[in-house]
Amino acid sequence: MAAPDATLSRVGAINGATGTWAQDNALFLKVFSGEVITAFDRSCIFKGLAQERTIQNGKSAQFPVTGRFTARFHTPGKMIEGQGNMAQNEVVIKIDDLLIADAALYDLDEAKSHYDIRSIYSKELGNALAREYDKRIARVLTLGARVSTGDLTANLPTGLTPDDPYRTGTRVDLAKATPTPDDYVAAVFAAARALDEKDVPADGRVLVCSPEVYYTLIQSSRAVNFDFNQQGENGSYSKGQIAQLAGFSIYSSNHIKQGNVTAKTGEQGFTFAGTDTALSSVNMTQTKMLAFQKGAVGVLKLRDLSMQMTGNDYNVMYQSSLMVAKLACGFGYLRPEAICEIYNSL
């Protein structure tokens, strides 16, 4: 008598639906997707440091920009008529072409491999998208810091000085052939002062440095020092960490030093001051740090990070699995006055 067949528990099937390759492996795709998203989240420095908005459909979205009113004393008996039109404009961020990271894994190569190659591929696909995401935000922030003509020019009320309504960026030049750690600290405080003078909220301020500058800051006698930081909570030499300086939360990113970058085909840009701006082509050769507040830059998402993997038909034709991580979004600066680029002209 032949042994009875075993009743298998197919852990890859959804609600016990089995019989085809796609059904037997349906849930395994979720693992790969999770790995992509986790890798993206861990690798992104700028994710969560920008103002994000998601739309269900469309090619762009409007971000309204408003100016300010002034206060005045009321004269007894006089009718209150209002101040008229307030300075206002808009920033329109457009959705770029689909940003993808893809890989085709040959089945036989995977079978020969003595380690889990798919988890490595999935991690690298997430990292690839994270790098492009961070690079783009860094370039947009740099462009915003260099805005010298504001978009609020009509119907500006008088008497706003020093409460200046013009929305322009700020640049701080180290102008040192060999900057010292304390030179960098002084530049950060200059950036904080510039944001204060433009009434940028103190909450959510961020400083992103190149690794070179980050570890130079740690060596400053004023940034990480018991006399200046109670109980050493702000950082330590032994751990190579610094948490805050001049009210900024501090991060390190390899994407501050991008060099002279030409925007890739597929970028759609954004509209500022009623004119389509240039894409994210910018020379960051001299850029050392970017100081900004969270509302300075906007990320418009049409399709959030997701993953696709080919099914049985593709596998039969090519004896491989095609993996694609994708993201559809757009980027633009919203508040140039909330951005300061710290650079070195020497």
Side-chain angles (χ1 to χ4, degrees):
M1 179 179 178
D5 294 336
T7 302
L8 300 177
S9 298
R10 304 306 302 271
V11 297
I14 297 177
N15 293 327
T18 62
T20 68
W21 185 91
Q23 289 175 319
D24 294 344
N25 294 274
L27 290 180
F28 294 140
L29 303 184
K30 296 293 192 330
V31 176
F32 178 80
S33 177
E35 289 172 343
V36 172
I37 294 173
T38 300
F40 179 86
D41 288 342
R42 288 178 178 174
S43 298
C44 261
I45 297 298
F46 288 91
K47 189 175 187 297
L49 304 181
Q51 183 175 330
E52 298 184 359
R53 178 178 171 185
T54 301
I55 58 176
Q56 298 302 315
N57 48 60
K59 63 179 182 179
S60 62
Q62 174 196 52
F63 292 79
V65 175
T66 57
R68 301 168 183 173
F69 285 126
T70 56
R72 66 186 188 279
F73 290 106
H74 177 244
T75 301
K78 291 288 187 179
M79 182 174 64
I80 300 175
E81 300 175 334
Q83 295 185 41
N85 295 324
M86 181 172 58
Q88 55 189 9
N89 212 317
E90 67 177 8
V91 175
V92 178
I93 298 180
K94 303 174 184 178
I95 296 294
D96 294 332
D97 292 353
L98 192 65
L99 182 65
I100 64 170
D102 55 301
L105 181 60
Y106 187 45
D107 286 354
L108 188 58
D109 288 345
E110 185 177 11
K112 292 178 180 178
S113 177
H114 64 282
Y115 52 88
D116 183 9
I117 190 66
R118 291 201 179 201
S119 64
I120 296 175
Y121 273 47
S122 64
K123 178 181 178 181
E124 290 307 319
L125 291 179
N127 287 339
L129 290 180
R131 285 192 295 270
E132 288 303 316
Y133 186 98
D134 272 7
K135 287 179 180 179
R136 184 69 174 283
I137 292 184
R139 295 199 299 270
V140 169
L141 283 167
T142 305
L143 289 170
R146 299 177 186 181
V147 171
S148 58
T149 303
D151 57 345
L152 298 181
T153 56
N155 305 314
L156 293 174
T158 59
L160 291 181
T161 304
D163 193 13
D164 194 341
Y166 294 94
R167 302 195 330 122
T168 57
T170 304
R171 304 186 75 201
V172 173
D173 187 3
L174 289 162
K176 300 279 187 178
T178 307
T180 66
D182 285 352
D183 288 333
Y184 285 118
V185 171
V188 174
F189 275 91
R193 174 184 173 180
L195 298 191
D196 283 348
E197 291 175 344
K198 295 183 179 181
D199 277 345
V200 175
D203 184 53
R205 291 189 183 183
V206 178
L207 179 72
V208 182
C209 318
S210 68
E212 173 193 2
V213 173
Y214 181 84
Y215 290 106
T216 301
L217 279 175
I218 295 174
Q219 299 175 59
S220 169
S221 60
R222 293 187 291 170
V224 181
N225 187 296
F226 183 83
D227 294 332
F228 291 92
N229 303 282
Q230 293 184 354
Q231 305 302 321
E233 294 176 355
N234 192 51
S236 72
Y237 293 109
S238 60
K239 294 181 179 179
Q241 295 177 343
I242 180 172
Q244 284 196 325
L245 182 62
F248 294 101
S249 297
I250 304 179
Y251 299 88
S252 173
S253 172
N254 285 323
H255 306 313
I256 298 300
K257 297 181 66 175
Q258 295 187 44
N260 193 355
V261 183
T262 300
K264 294 183 177 180
T265 301
E267 285 191 20
Q268 301 304 322
F270 59 102
T271 300
F272 181 82
T275 304
D276 282 348
T277 67
L279 304 179
S280 65
S281 298
V282 63
N283 189 344
M284 297 179 67
T285 304
Q286 298 177 339
T287 306
K288 300 297 182 181
M289 295 179 269
L290 291 172
F292 59 98
Q293 200 266 348
K294 185 175 181 179
V297 64
V299 178
L300 179 65
K301 294 182 178 179
L302 178 61
R303 289 184 179 177
D304 210 339
L305 181 64
S306 62
M307 187 282 303
Q308 286 179 313
M309 183 182 291
T310 53
N312 196 37
D313 291 343
Y314 184 95
N315 187 270
V316 169
M317 289 186 291
Y318 296 101
Q319 292 299 296
S320 62
S321 298
L322 178 63
M323 300 169 285
V324 179
K326 60 184 182 179
L327 182 65
C329 53
F331 303 82
Y333 50 76
L334 305 177
R335 300 182 59 200
E337 73 274 20
I339 310 171
C340 179
E341 175 194 10
I342 299 174
Y343 70 105
N344 192 0
S345 60
L346 298 181

